[in-house]
Amino acid sequence: MEKLINEFSIGLFFWQSVLFVLLLLLLRKFAWKPILNAVNSREEGIKNALAEADRARQEMQNITADNEKVLKEARAERDAMLKEAREIKENVISEAKEEAKIQANKMIEQAKVAIQSEKLAAMTELKSQVAELSINIAEKVVKEQLSDKDKQLQLIDNLLADVKLN
Amino acid sequence: MREKFLLKLVVLLFIISATPSYAQHTEHDDASTELSTKEAEKLERKEYIRHHLLDSYDFTLFSYTQEDGTKKHVGFHLPIILWDNGLQVFSSSKFNHGETVAENNGNYYKLYHNKIYKTDAEGTITYDENHHPTNAKPLDFSFTKGVFMILLTCILMYFLFTSLAKSYAKNGSIAKGAGRFFEPIIVYIRDNIAIPNIGEKKYMKYMPYLLTVFFFVWFLNLFGLTPLGVNVTGNIAVTVALALLTFLITNFTGTKDYWRHIFDPLGDSMPWYGKAPIYIILVPIEILGVFIKPFSLLIRLYANMQAGHIVLMSLIGLMFLFKSWLGSPMSFMLAFAISGIELLVALLQAYIFTMLSALYFGFAAEEHDHHEEAATH
């Protein structure tokens, strides 16, 4: 201990303190603060850049997901539209068929009615013609038969006999 | 293969043990005068090492004995600054390396065991019974070799780190040149010394001191390993100055909790009548701790650097003492290995000084969370 105290030099202590404190103050102002600030800000910058990159990646992912979603929706819409179109088509066809059937039935019905009426008309005409012909024939026959007296009497007799029978 | 190696080892050991005995044998044959010269040589070396460990008033690179018997010193002189009835400034060349009495403004000074004493024109020094000089010692503020090296280190550090700071501004926050080497060290001190010990919130306040003290101690330790022969960090005055600064910063930035921890270490965990008998012992220990912490800092650095220098110088001295073809290379190898270790020690001691300073600052800056305590009440 005595050796240590003996070795202790006030002058060196004084100079060391003065120079060191001076160095400390100078370096603090001109070196350490700028260096630490630069290092810190650079680290901050790196951290921010990384965060930014992460966020960009996230955003990119979101966009891709969005795209996918839109695509999916579009596909679904297309499918729905196709389905609807198919349905409409089927409807139209079936409706058309129905209509056609109805129309056809109606036409057949009308044709039937027309045929019936034509037939009726033809029948009545035929009847009237037959009647006319019969009368004409009957007239001719009667004329023929009633040309002599005997025959007229016979006819009357026949007719009377018919009446009697009734 | 193995046997061959063993054989070599045995031969080597034999030669080592044989050589000194051979040397001694020749000594005995010669007159006893040679033995005394050898003793004198040893003493001279011891003195040389002791002298090297001390500060000196001139910067001597090397010295040798000239043909005419006078000693020739190669180096330069440094100014002597004394406070003795006013400022006395003169060159250390007046001492002629302690061989002559220096005269300045009618005052006479003499170097004795590397200390300046006031004396008369003849340079007489009176001694007390313990062979200590009783002459007056003027207040010595001389610009010694140590101060010169400190100043050199300061200038070097200033230019090194301001240029690093400037290179950040110029190169868009990227270090250039030597800064590439120093920047990781600065970041290491921040991330592994300052932040873990002091905490994220307050570390910036202490960073300038920690960085300055780390590089200052490291650089001076390294300069100590150069052949310039400076031993600044192994000087008690320097380590006292450094530790004193740590002590002052610790206690001047101490928070309320820091002081509470010293004077009321147990806190609210015990009623006052329970604490009183414990505190009679505990508080003095805590107060002593405040001083012991920086004291351990200064002794550790001083002793490590001093011891390293003594070991290294002794091993180098052995090279000349052996004077044999085997002993000298062996001690050279040993000195070489120890130099390598000393390089590590230079860094390690700077690291330890910085680390422990940060630890003490951490205690001083500590602020307890009282939420926990409040919750239990």
Side-chain angles (χ1 to χ4, degrees), chain B residues 40-72:
Chain B
E41 240 176 74
K42 270 187 190 170
L43 253 172
E44 190 199 324
R45 251 166 226 128
K46 202 175 156 193
E47 188 58 32
Y48 188 84
I49 292 170
R50 204 189 65 82
H51 183 80
H52 161 82
L53 294 173
L54 293 173
D55 208 359
S56 75
Y57 291 101
D58 46 66
F59 206 111
T60 310
L61 293 170
F62 58 90
S63 57
Y64 57 91
T65 313
Q66 277 172 319
E67 277 171 31
D68 58 354
T70 56
K71 270 208 153 182
K72 172 87 177 152

Side-chain angles (χ1 to χ4, degrees), chain B residues 343-361:
Chain B
L343 270 178
L344 281 179
V345 169
L347 180 61
L348 192 70
Q349 287 306 319
Y351 172 75
I352 289 173
F353 198 100
T354 315
M355 182 76 188
L356 289 176
S357 293
L359 195 68
Y360 302 154
F361 296 157

Side-chain angles (χ1 to χ4, degrees), chain B residues 122-343:
Chain B
E122 283 79 42
T124 47
I125 286 180
T126 53
Y127 303 98
D128 61 5
E129 61 269 25
N130 295 323
H131 203 73
H132 290 313
T134 51
N135 290 39
K137 275 196 283 184
L139 263 180
D140 183 2
F141 291 105
S142 297
F143 198 85
T144 59
K145 193 176 173 182
V147 178
F148 180 78
M149 282 316 292
I150 290 165
L151 185 65
L152 207 68
T153 309
C154 286
I155 291 167
L156 177 75
M157 275 176 73
Y158 180 77
F159 283 107
L160 190 63
F161 292 114
T162 48
S163 80
L164 175 58
K166 272 181 211 135
S167 84
Y168 277 119
K170 255 186 266 166
N171 290 303
S173 292
I174 292 165
K176 214 176 155 189
R180 291 245 170 105
F181 176 74
F182 289 108
E183 189 200 293
I185 299 173
I186 294 169
V187 173
Y188 179 85
I189 290 173
R190 189 194 61 179
D191 293 346
N192 289 298
I193 295 179
I195 293 178
N197 284 314
I198 301 168
E200 196 83 53
K201 254 194 287 176
K202 288 186 169 177
Y203 82 95
M204 262 314 254
K205 197 165 69 174
Y206 299 103
M207 270 309 272
Y209 177 73
L210 293 175
L211 287 168
T212 313
V213 87
F214 176 80
F215 286 110
F216 186 79
V217 172
W218 188 29
F219 285 175
L220 277 174
N221 285 351
L222 287 178
F223 281 136
L225 292 174
T226 59
L228 291 175
V230 282
N231 181 30
V232 180
T233 39
N235 192 303
I236 193 82
V238 174
T239 60
V240 165
L242 288 173
L244 190 68
L245 219 55
T246 297
F247 172 78
L248 291 176
I249 293 172
T250 307
N251 289 294
F252 276 112
T253 61
T255 57
K256 215 174 77 190
D257 283 310
Y258 169 72
W259 293 110
R260 223 181 83 131
H261 185 79
I262 290 167
F263 292 108
D264 186 18
L266 293 174
D268 300 328
S269 60
M270 235 187 238
W272 67 269
Y273 48 87
K275 286 194 286 189
I278 301 170
Y279 277 10
I280 292 170
I281 304 167
L282 207 54
V283 171
I285 289 174
E286 287 283 350
I287 292 169
L288 217 60
V290 172
F291 297 98
I292 287 173
K293 280 172 194 163
F295 188 73
S296 73
L297 271 184
L298 79 91
I299 289 295
R300 185 180 300 106
L301 183 59
Y302 163 77
N304 269 290
M305 297 329 289
Q306 187 88 322
H309 278 251
I310 291 171
V311 168
L312 210 52
M313 294 285 286
S314 305
L315 285 172
I316 292 168
L318 273 183
M319 265 184 248
F320 301 98
L321 213 61
F322 267 133
K323 279 186 181 156
S324 79
W325 65 274
L326 196 75
S328 295
M330 287 281 285
S331 60
F332 169 76
M333 286 307 290
L334 213 55
F336 186 72
I338 293 292
S339 295
I341 291 171
E342 280 300 309
L343 270 178

